[in-house]
Coordinates of all heavy atoms in Angstrom, one line a residue:
M1 N 0.8 -1.2 0.0 CA 0.0 0.0 0.0 C 0.9 1.3 0.0 O 0.5 2.2 -0.6 CB -0.9 0.0 1.2 CG -2.0 1.1 1.2 SD -3.1 0.8 -0.2 CE -4.6 1.4 0.5
A2 N 2.0 1.2 0.7 CA 2.9 2.4 0.7 C 3.4 2.8 -0.7 O 3.5 3.9 -1.0 CB 4.0 2.2 1.7
K3 N 3.7 1.8 -1.5 CA 4.2 2.0 -2.8 C 3.1 2.7 -3.7 O 3.5 3.6 -4.4 CB 4.6 0.7 -3.5 CG 5.2 0.8 -4.8 CD 6.6 1.4 -4.7 CE 7.3 1.3 -6.1 NZ 8.6 2.0 -6.1
N4 N 1.9 2.3 -3.6 CA 0.8 2.9 -4.3 C 0.6 4.4 -3.9 O 0.4 5.2 -4.8 CB -0.5 2.1 -4.1 CG -1.6 2.6 -5.0 OD1 -1.3 3.1 -6.1 ND2 -2.8 2.3 -4.6
K5 N 0.8 4.7 -2.6 CA 0.7 6.0 -2.1 C 1.8 6.9 -2.7 O 1.7 8.0 -3.1 CB 0.7 6.1 -0.6 CG 0.4 7.4 0.0 CD 0.3 7.4 1.5 CE 0.0 8.7 2.0 NZ -0.2 8.7 3.5
E6 N 3.0 6.3 -2.7 CA 4.2 7.0 -3.3 C 4.0 7.3 -4.8 O 4.3 8.4 -5.2 CB 5.4 6.1 -3.1 CG 6.7 6.7 -3.8 CD 7.9 5.8 -3.7 OE1 7.9 4.8 -3.0 OE2 8.8 6.1 -4.4
I7 N 3.5 6.4 -5.5 CA 3.2 6.6 -7.0 C 2.2 7.7 -7.1 O 2.4 8.6 -8.0 CB 2.8 5.3 -7.7 CG1 4.0 4.4 -7.7 CG2 2.3 5.6 -9.1 CD1 3.7 3.0 -8.2
K8 N 1.2 7.7 -6.3 CA 0.1 8.8 -6.4 C 0.8 10.1 -6.1 O 0.4 11.1 -6.8 CB -1.0 8.5 -5.5 CG -1.9 7.4 -6.0 CD -3.1 7.2 -5.1 CE -4.0 6.1 -5.6 NZ -5.1 5.8 -4.7
G9 N 1.6 10.2 -5.1 CA 2.3 11.4 -4.8 C 3.2 11.9 -6.0 O 3.2 13.1 -6.3
L10 N 3.9 11.0 -6.6 CA 4.8 11.4 -7.7 C 3.9 11.8 -8.9 O 4.3 12.8 -9.6 CB 5.7 10.2 -8.1 CG 6.7 9.7 -7.1 CD1 7.4 8.5 -7.5 CD2 7.7 10.8 -6.8
A11 N 2.8 11.1 -9.1 CA 1.9 11.5 -10.2 C 1.4 12.9 -10.0 O 1.2 13.7 -10.9 CB 0.8 10.5 -10.4
L12 N 1.1 13.3 -8.7 CA 0.6 14.6 -8.4 C 1.6 15.7 -8.7 O 1.3 16.8 -9.2 CB 0.1 14.7 -6.9 CG -0.5 15.9 -6.5 CD1 -1.7 16.3 -7.3 CD2 -0.9 15.8 -5.0
I13 N 2.9 15.4 -8.4 CA 3.9 16.3 -8.7 C 4.0 16.6 -10.2 O 4.1 17.7 -10.7 CB 5.3 15.8 -8.2 CG1 5.3 15.9 -6.7 CG2 6.5 16.7 -8.7 CD1 6.4 15.2 -6.0
V14 N 3.9 15.5 -11.0 CA 4.0 15.7 -12.5 C 2.7 16.5 -12.9 O 2.9 17.4 -13.8 CB 4.0 14.3 -13.2 CG1 4.0 14.5 -14.7 CG2 5.3 13.6 -12.8
A15 N 1.6 16.2 -12.4 CA 0.4 16.9 -12.8 C 0.5 18.4 -12.5 O 0.0 19.2 -13.3 CB -0.8 16.3 -12.1
Q16 N 1.1 18.7 -11.3 CA 1.2 20.1 -11.0 C 2.2 20.8 -11.9 O 2.0 22.0 -12.3 CB 1.7 20.3 -9.5 CG 0.6 19.9 -8.6 CD 1.0 19.9 -7.1 OE1 2.2 20.0 -6.8 NE2 0.0 19.7 -6.2
Y17 N 3.3 20.1 -12.3 CA 4.2 20.6 -13.3 C 3.4 20.9 -14.7 O 3.6 21.9 -15.3 CB 5.3 19.6 -13.6 CG 6.2 19.8 -14.7 CD1 7.3 20.7 -14.6 CD2 6.0 19.2 -15.9 CE1 8.1 20.9 -15.7 CE2 6.8 19.4 -17.0 CZ 7.9 20.2 -16.9 OH 8.7 20.4 -18.0
L18 N 2.6 20.0 -15.0 CA 1.9 20.1 -16.3 C 0.8 21.2 -16.3 O 0.2 21.5 -17.3 CB 1.3 18.8 -16.7 CG 2.3 17.7 -17.1 CD1 1.7 16.4 -17.3 CD2 3.1 18.1 -18.3
A19 N 0.4 21.7 -15.1 CA -0.5 22.8 -15.0 C -0.1 24.0 -15.8 O -0.9 24.9 -16.1 CB -0.8 23.1 -13.5
N20 N 1.2 24.1 -16.0 CA 1.8 25.2 -16.8 C 1.7 25.0 -18.3 O 2.1 25.9 -19.1 CB 3.3 25.4 -16.4 CG 3.4 25.8 -15.0 OD1 2.9 26.8 -14.5 ND2 4.1 24.9 -14.2
Y21 N 1.2 23.9 -18.7 CA 1.1 23.5 -20.1 C -0.3 23.0 -20.5 O -1.1 22.7 -19.6 CB 2.1 22.4 -20.5 CG 3.6 22.8 -20.2 CD1 4.2 22.6 -19.0 CD2 4.3 23.5 -21.2 CE1 5.5 23.0 -18.8 CE2 5.6 23.9 -21.0 CZ 6.2 23.6 -19.8 OH 7.5 24.0 -19.6
E22 N -0.5 22.8 -21.8 CA -1.7 22.1 -22.2 C -1.2 21.2 -23.4 O -0.2 21.5 -24.0 CB -2.8 23.0 -22.6 CG -2.4 24.0 -23.8 CD -3.5 25.0 -24.0 OE1 -4.6 25.0 -23.4 OE2 -3.2 25.9 -24.9
P23 N -1.9 20.1 -23.7 CA -1.5 19.3 -24.8 C -1.7 20.1 -26.1 O -2.6 20.8 -26.3 CB -2.6 18.2 -24.8 CG -3.1 18.1 -23.4 CD -3.0 19.5 -22.9
A24 N -0.6 20.0 -26.9 CA -0.6 20.8 -28.2 C -1.4 19.9 -29.3 O -1.1 18.7 -29.4 CB 0.8 21.1 -28.7
E25 N -2.3 20.5 -30.0 CA -3.0 19.8 -31.0 C -2.1 19.6 -32.2 O -2.2 18.6 -32.9 CB -4.3 20.5 -31.4 CG -5.3 20.5 -30.3 CD -6.6 21.2 -30.7 OE1 -6.9 21.3 -31.9 OE2 -7.3 21.7 -29.8
N26 N -1.2 20.5 -32.5 CA -0.4 20.4 -33.7 C 1.1 20.8 -33.2 O 1.3 21.9 -32.8 CB -0.8 21.4 -34.8 CG 0.0 21.3 -36.0 OD1 1.1 20.8 -36.1 ND2 -0.6 21.8 -37.1
P27 N 2.0 19.9 -33.4 CA 3.4 20.1 -33.0 C 4.0 21.3 -33.7 O 5.0 21.9 -33.2 CB 4.1 18.8 -33.2 CG 3.3 18.1 -34.2 CD 1.9 18.5 -34.0
N28 N 3.4 21.7 -34.8 CA 4.0 22.8 -35.6 C 3.4 24.2 -35.2 O 3.8 25.2 -35.8 CB 3.8 22.6 -37.1 CG 4.6 21.3 -37.5 OD1 5.7 21.1 -37.2 ND2 3.9 20.5 -38.3
D29 N 2.4 24.2 -34.3 CA 1.8 25.4 -33.9 C 2.8 26.3 -33.2 O 3.7 25.8 -32.5 CB 0.6 25.2 -32.9 CG -0.6 24.7 -33.6 OD1 -0.6 24.8 -34.9 OD2 -1.5 24.3 -32.9
M30 N 2.7 27.6 -33.3 CA 3.5 28.6 -32.7 C 3.5 28.4 -31.2 O 2.4 28.2 -30.6 CB 3.1 30.0 -33.0 CG 3.9 31.1 -32.4 SD 5.5 31.2 -33.2 CE 5.2 32.4 -34.4
G31 N 4.6 28.3 -30.5 CA 4.7 28.2 -29.1 C 4.8 26.8 -28.6 O 5.1 26.5 -27.4
T32 N 4.5 25.8 -29.5 CA 4.6 24.4 -29.0 C 6.0 24.0 -28.8 O 6.9 24.3 -29.5 CB 3.9 23.5 -30.1 OG1 2.6 23.8 -30.2 CG2 4.1 22.0 -29.7
V33 N 6.2 23.3 -27.7 CA 7.5 22.7 -27.4 C 7.4 21.2 -27.3 O 6.4 20.6 -27.0 CB 8.1 23.2 -26.0 CG1 8.3 24.7 -26.0 CG2 7.1 22.9 -24.9
I34 N 8.5 20.6 -27.7 CA 8.6 19.1 -27.7 C 9.6 18.8 -26.6 O 10.7 19.2 -26.6 CB 9.1 18.6 -29.0 CG1 8.3 19.1 -30.2 CG2 9.2 17.0 -29.0 CD1 6.8 18.7 -30.1
R35 N 9.1 18.1 -25.6 CA 9.9 17.7 -24.4 C 9.9 16.2 -24.3 O 8.8 15.6 -24.3 CB 9.3 18.3 -23.1 CG 9.0 19.8 -23.1 CD 10.2 20.6 -22.8 NE 10.6 20.3 -21.4 CZ 11.8 20.6 -21.0 NH1 12.7 21.2 -21.7 NH2 12.2 20.4 -19.7
S36 N 11.1 15.7 -24.0 CA 11.2 14.2 -23.8 C 10.8 13.9 -22.4 O 10.7 14.8 -21.5 CB 12.6 13.8 -24.1 OG 13.5 14.2 -23.1
T37 N 10.5 12.7 -22.1 CA 10.2 12.2 -20.7 C 11.4 12.5 -19.8 O 11.2 13.0 -18.7 CB 9.9 10.7 -20.7 OG1 8.8 10.5 -21.6 CG2 9.6 10.2 -19.3
E38 N 12.6 12.3 -20.3 CA 13.8 12.6 -19.5 C 13.9 14.1 -19.2 O 14.4 14.4 -18.1 CB 15.1 12.1 -20.3 CG 15.2 10.6 -20.2 CD 15.3 10.1 -18.7 OE1 16.0 10.7 -17.9 OE2 14.7 9.0 -18.5
E39 N 13.5 14.9 -20.1 CA 13.6 16.4 -19.8 C 12.6 16.8 -18.7 O 12.9 17.6 -17.9 CB 13.3 17.2 -21.1 CG 14.4 17.1 -22.1 CD 14.1 17.8 -23.4 OE1 13.0 17.5 -24.0 OE2 15.0 18.6 -23.9
V40 N 11.5 16.2 -18.7 CA 10.5 16.4 -17.7 C 11.0 15.9 -16.3 O 11.0 16.6 -15.3 CB 9.1 15.8 -18.0 CG1 8.2 15.9 -16.8 CG2 8.5 16.4 -19.2
I41 N 11.6 14.7 -16.4 CA 12.2 14.2 -15.1 C 13.4 15.1 -14.6 O 13.4 15.4 -13.4 CB 12.8 12.8 -15.4 CG1 11.6 11.8 -15.6 CG2 13.7 12.3 -14.3 CD1 12.0 10.4 -16.1
T42 N 14.2 15.6 -15.5 CA 15.3 16.5 -15.2 C 14.7 17.8 -14.6 O 15.2 18.3 -13.6 CB 16.2 16.8 -16.4 OG1 16.7 15.6 -16.8 CG2 17.2 17.8 -16.0
D43 N 13.6 18.3 -15.2 CA 13.0 19.6 -14.6 C 12.6 19.4 -13.2 O 12.6 20.3 -12.4 CB 11.8 20.0 -15.5 CG 12.2 20.5 -16.9 OD1 13.4 20.8 -17.1 OD2 11.3 20.7 -17.7
L44 N 12.1 18.2 -12.9 CA 11.6 17.9 -11.5 C 12.5 17.2 -10.6 O 12.2 16.8 -9.5 CB 10.3 17.1 -11.7 CG 9.1 17.9 -12.4 CD1 8.0 17.0 -12.7 CD2 8.7 19.1 -11.6
A45 N 13.8 17.0 -11.0 CA 14.7 16.2 -10.3 C 15.0 16.7 -8.9 O 15.3 15.9 -8.0 CB 16.0 16.1 -11.0
D46 N 14.9 18.0 -8.7 CA 15.1 18.6 -7.4 C 13.9 18.5 -6.4 O 14.0 18.8 -5.3 CB 15.6 20.0 -7.4 CG 14.7 21.0 -8.1 OD1 13.8 20.5 -8.8 OD2 14.8 22.2 -7.8
M47 N 12.8 17.9 -7.0 CA 11.6 17.8 -6.2 C 11.2 16.4 -5.9 O 10.6 16.1 -4.9 CB 10.4 18.5 -7.0 CG 10.7 19.9 -7.3 SD 9.3 20.9 -7.6 CE 8.4 20.8 -6.1
A48 N 11.6 15.5 -6.8 CA 11.2 14.1 -6.6 C 12.1 13.2 -7.4 O 12.7 13.6 -8.4 CB 9.7 13.9 -7.0
D49 N 12.2 11.9 -7.0 CA 12.9 10.9 -7.8 C 11.9 10.2 -8.7 O 11.4 9.1 -8.3 CB 13.6 9.9 -6.8 CG 14.5 8.9 -7.5 OD1 14.9 9.2 -8.6 OD2 14.8 7.9 -6.8
L50 N 11.7 10.8 -9.9 CA 10.7 10.2 -10.8 C 11.3 9.2 -11.7 O 12.5 9.1 -11.9 CB 10.1 11.4 -11.7 CG 9.4 12.5 -10.9 CD1 9.2 13.6 -11.9 CD2 8.1 11.9 -10.4
N51 N 10.4 8.3 -12.2 CA 10.8 7.4 -13.2 C 10.0 7.6 -14.5 O 8.9 8.3 -14.4 CB 10.8 6.0 -12.7 CG 9.4 5.4 -12.5 OD1 8.5 5.5 -13.4 ND2 9.1 5.0 -11.3
A52 N 10.4 7.1 -15.6 CA 9.8 7.4 -16.9 C 8.4 6.9 -17.0 O 7.5 7.5 -17.6 CB 10.7 6.8 -18.0
N53 N 8.1 5.7 -16.3 CA 6.7 5.2 -16.4 C 5.7 6.1 -15.7 O 4.6 6.3 -16.2 CB 6.7 3.8 -15.7 CG 7.4 2.8 -16.6 OD1 7.6 3.0 -17.8 ND2 7.8 1.7 -16.0
V54 N 6.1 6.7 -14.6 CA 5.2 7.6 -13.9 C 4.9 8.8 -14.7 O 3.7 9.2 -14.9 CB 5.7 8.0 -12.5 CG1 4.9 9.1 -11.9 CG2 5.8 6.8 -11.5
V55 N 5.9 9.4 -15.3 CA 5.8 10.6 -16.1 C 4.9 10.3 -17.4 O 4.0 11.0 -17.7 CB 7.1 11.2 -16.5 CG1 7.0 12.3 -17.6 CG2 7.9 11.7 -15.3
A56 N 5.3 9.2 -18.0 CA 4.5 8.8 -19.3 C 3.1 8.6 -19.0 O 2.2 9.0 -19.7 CB 5.2 7.6 -19.9
N57 N 2.8 7.8 -17.9 CA 1.4 7.5 -17.6 C 0.6 8.8 -17.3 O -0.6 8.9 -17.7 CB 1.3 6.5 -16.4 CG 1.7 5.1 -16.8 OD1 1.5 4.7 -18.0 ND2 2.2 4.4 -15.9
V58 N 1.2 9.7 -16.5 CA 0.4 10.9 -16.2 C 0.2 11.7 -17.4 O -0.9 12.2 -17.7 CB 1.2 11.8 -15.1 CG1 0.6 13.1 -14.9 CG2 1.3 11.0 -13.8
M59 N 1.2 11.8 -18.3 CA 1.1 12.6 -19.5 C 0.0 12.0 -20.4 O -0.8 12.8 -21.0 CB 2.4 12.8 -20.2 CG 3.4 13.6 -19.3 SD 4.8 14.2 -20.1 CE 4.2 15.7 -21.0
L60 N 0.0 10.7 -20.6 CA -1.0 10.1 -21.4 C -2.4 10.3 -20.8 O -3.4 10.6 -21.5 CB -0.7 8.6 -21.6 CG 0.5 8.3 -22.5 CD1 0.8 6.8 -22.3 CD2 0.2 8.7 -23.9
D61 N -2.5 10.2 -19.5 CA -3.8 10.4 -18.8 C -4.3 11.8 -19.0 O -5.5 12.0 -19.0 CB -3.7 10.0 -17.3 CG -3.6 8.6 -17.0 OD1 -3.9 7.7 -17.9 OD2 -3.3 8.2 -15.9
M62 N -3.4 12.7 -19.1 CA -3.8 14.2 -19.2 C -4.0 14.6 -20.7 O -4.2 15.8 -20.9 CB -2.8 15.0 -18.5 CG -2.8 14.8 -17.0 SD -1.7 15.9 -16.0 CE -2.6 17.4 -16.2
G63 N -3.9 13.7 -21.6 CA -4.2 14.0 -23.0 C -3.0 14.4 -23.9 O -3.2 14.8 -25.0
Y64 N -1.8 14.2 -23.3 CA -0.6 14.6 -24.2 C -0.3 13.4 -25.1 O -0.6 12.3 -24.8 CB 0.6 14.8 -23.3 CG 0.5 16.1 -22.5 CD1 -0.2 16.2 -21.3 CD2 1.0 17.3 -23.0 CE1 -0.3 17.3 -20.6 CE2 0.8 18.5 -22.3 CZ 0.2 18.5 -21.1 OH 0.0 19.7 -20.4
T65 N 0.3 13.8 -26.3 CA 0.6 12.8 -27.3 C 2.1 12.9 -27.6 O 2.7 13.9 -27.5 CB -0.2 13.0 -28.6 OG1 0.0 14.3 -29.1 CG2 -1.7 12.8 -28.3
V66 N 2.6 11.7 -28.0 CA 4.0 11.7 -28.4 C 4.0 12.0 -29.9 O 3.2 11.5 -30.7 CB 4.6 10.3 -28.2 CG1 6.0 10.2 -28.7 CG2 4.6 9.9 -26.7
V67 N 5.0 12.9 -30.3 CA 5.1 13.2 -31.7 C 6.5 12.9 -32.2 O 7.5 12.9 -31.4 CB 4.8 14.7 -32.0 CG1 3.4 15.0 -31.6 CG2 5.7 15.6 -31.2
F68 N 6.6 12.6 -33.5 CA 7.9 12.3 -34.1 C 8.1 13.3 -35.2 O 7.3 13.3 -36.2 CB 7.9 10.8 -34.6 CG 7.8 9.8 -33.5 CD1 6.5 9.4 -33.1 CD2 8.9 9.3 -33.0 CE1 6.4 8.5 -32.1 CE2 8.8 8.3 -31.9 CZ 7.5 7.9 -31.5
L69 N 9.1 14.1 -35.1 CA 9.3 15.1 -36.1 C 10.3 14.6 -37.2 O 11.0 13.7 -37.0 CB 9.9 16.4 -35.4 CG 9.1 16.9 -34.3 CD1 9.8 18.1 -33.6 CD2 7.7 17.4 -34.8
R70 N 10.2 15.3 -38.4 CA 11.0 14.9 -39.5 C 12.5 15.0 -39.2 O 13.3 14.3 -39.8 CB 10.7 15.8 -40.7 CG 9.3 15.5 -41.2 CD 9.0 16.3 -42.4 NE 7.6 16.1 -42.9 CZ 7.1 16.7 -43.8 NH1 7.7 17.6 -44.5 NH2 5.8 16.4 -44.1
D71 N 12.9 15.9 -38.3 CA 14.3 16.0 -38.0 C 14.8 15.0 -37.1 O 16.0 15.0 -36.6 CB 14.6 17.4 -37.5 CG 14.0 17.7 -36.2 OD1 13.4 16.8 -35.6 OD2 14.1 18.9 -35.7
G72 N 14.0 14.0 -36.7 CA 14.4 12.9 -35.8 C 14.1 13.1 -34.4 O 14.1 12.2 -33.6
R73 N 13.7 14.3 -34.0 CA 13.3 14.5 -32.6 C 12.0 13.9 -32.3 O 11.1 13.8 -33.2 CB 13.2 16.0 -32.3 CG 14.6 16.7 -32.3 CD 14.5 18.2 -31.9 NE 13.5 18.9 -32.8 CZ 12.6 19.8 -32.5 NH1 12.5 20.1 -31.2 NH2 11.8 20.3 -33.4
H74 N 11.8 13.5 -31.1 CA 10.5 13.0 -30.7 C 10.3 13.4 -29.2 O 11.2 13.7 -28.5 CB 10.4 11.5 -30.9 CG 11.3 10.7 -30.1 ND1 12.6 10.6 -30.5 CD2 11.2 10.1 -28.9 CE1 13.3 9.8 -29.6 NE2 12.4 9.5 -28.6
G75 N 9.0 13.5 -28.8 CA 8.7 13.8 -27.4 C 7.3 14.2 -27.3 O 6.4 13.9 -28.2
W76 N 6.9 14.8 -26.2 CA 5.6 15.2 -25.9 C 5.3 16.6 -26.4 O 6.1 17.5 -26.3 CB 5.4 15.2 -24.4 CG 5.7 13.9 -23.7 CD1 6.8 13.6 -23.0 CD2 4.8 12.8 -23.6 NE1 6.7 12.3 -22.6 CE2 5.4 11.8 -22.9 CE3 3.5 12.6 -24.1 CZ2 4.9 10.6 -22.6 CZ3 2.9 11.3 -23.8 CH2 3.6 10.4 -23.1
A77 N 4.2 16.7 -27.1 CA 3.8 18.0 -27.7 C 3.1 18.8 -26.6 O 2.0 18.5 -26.1 CB 2.9 17.9 -28.9
M78 N 3.8 19.9 -26.2 CA 3.3 20.7 -25.0 C 3.2 22.2 -25.4 O 4.1 22.7 -26.1 CB 4.2 20.6 -23.9 CG 4.5 19.2 -23.4 SD 5.9 18.9 -22.3 CE 5.3 19.8 -20.9
K79 N 2.1 22.8 -25.0 CA 2.0 24.3 -25.3 C 1.9 25.0 -24.0 O 1.0 24.7 -23.2 CB 0.7 24.5 -26.1 CG 0.6 25.9 -26.7 CD -0.3 25.9 -27.8 CE -0.1 27.3 -28.5 NZ -0.8 27.3 -29.8
P80 N 2.8 26.0 -23.7 CA 2.8 26.7 -22.5 C 1.4 27.5 -22.4 O 0.9 28.0 -23.4 CB 3.9 27.7 -22.6 CG 4.8 27.1 -23.6 CD 4.0 26.3 -24.5
R81 N 0.9 27.5 -21.2 CA -0.4 28.3 -20.9 C -0.1 29.8 -20.8 O 0.9 30.2 -20.4 CB -1.0 27.8 -19.7 CG -1.6 26.4 -19.9 CD -2.4 26.0 -18.6 NE -2.7 24.6 -18.7 CZ -4.0 24.2 -19.0 NH1 -4.9 25.0 -19.3 NH2 -4.2 22.9 -19.1

């Protein structure tokens, strides 16, 4: 039970981070940023010891999509609020 509570706490931290963004409908829209899961983990590293599965699950649950760009980059399409 303690592990489940820990995961919920980590998911809440990710959700609060994402309150500054919204899912981008088009990765080419002005202002859209492409962030990898590792970049999100790095942004929050001083707050929690996150893992990729927690971040990915929260982002998918919140409507974010993974995009693959022609230049080879890939990540989450995010638009700052």
Side-chain angles (χ1 to χ4, degrees):
M1 188 67 146
K3 184 71 171 173
N4 192 23
K5 186 175 182 178
E6 176 185 345
I7 291 171
K8 286 182 180 181
L10 294 173
L12 185 56
I13 291 169
V14 176
Q16 290 175 353
Y17 168 85
L18 292 173
N20 296 299
Y21 299 92
E22 62 187 354
E25 292 183 26
N26 182 343
N28 298 314
D29 283 349
M30 181 72 93
T32 297
V33 294
I34 307 300
R35 306 277 296 163
S36 71
T37 300
E38 284 302 316
E39 289 173 313
V40 173
I41 290 170
T42 298
D43 287 348
L44 295 170
D46 62 339
M47 304 202 57
D49 186 17
L50 296 168
N51 68 56
N53 290 338
V54 170
V55 172
N57 286 332
V58 172
M59 294 193 80
L60 289 170
D61 285 347
M62 294 183 72
Y64 290 87
T65 58
V66 176
V67 297
F68 297 86
L69 302 177
R70 291 182 184 176
D71 64 6
R73 292 183 301 137
H74 62 280
W76 302 99
M78 303 166 67
K79 192 161 191 166
R81 292 187 188 257

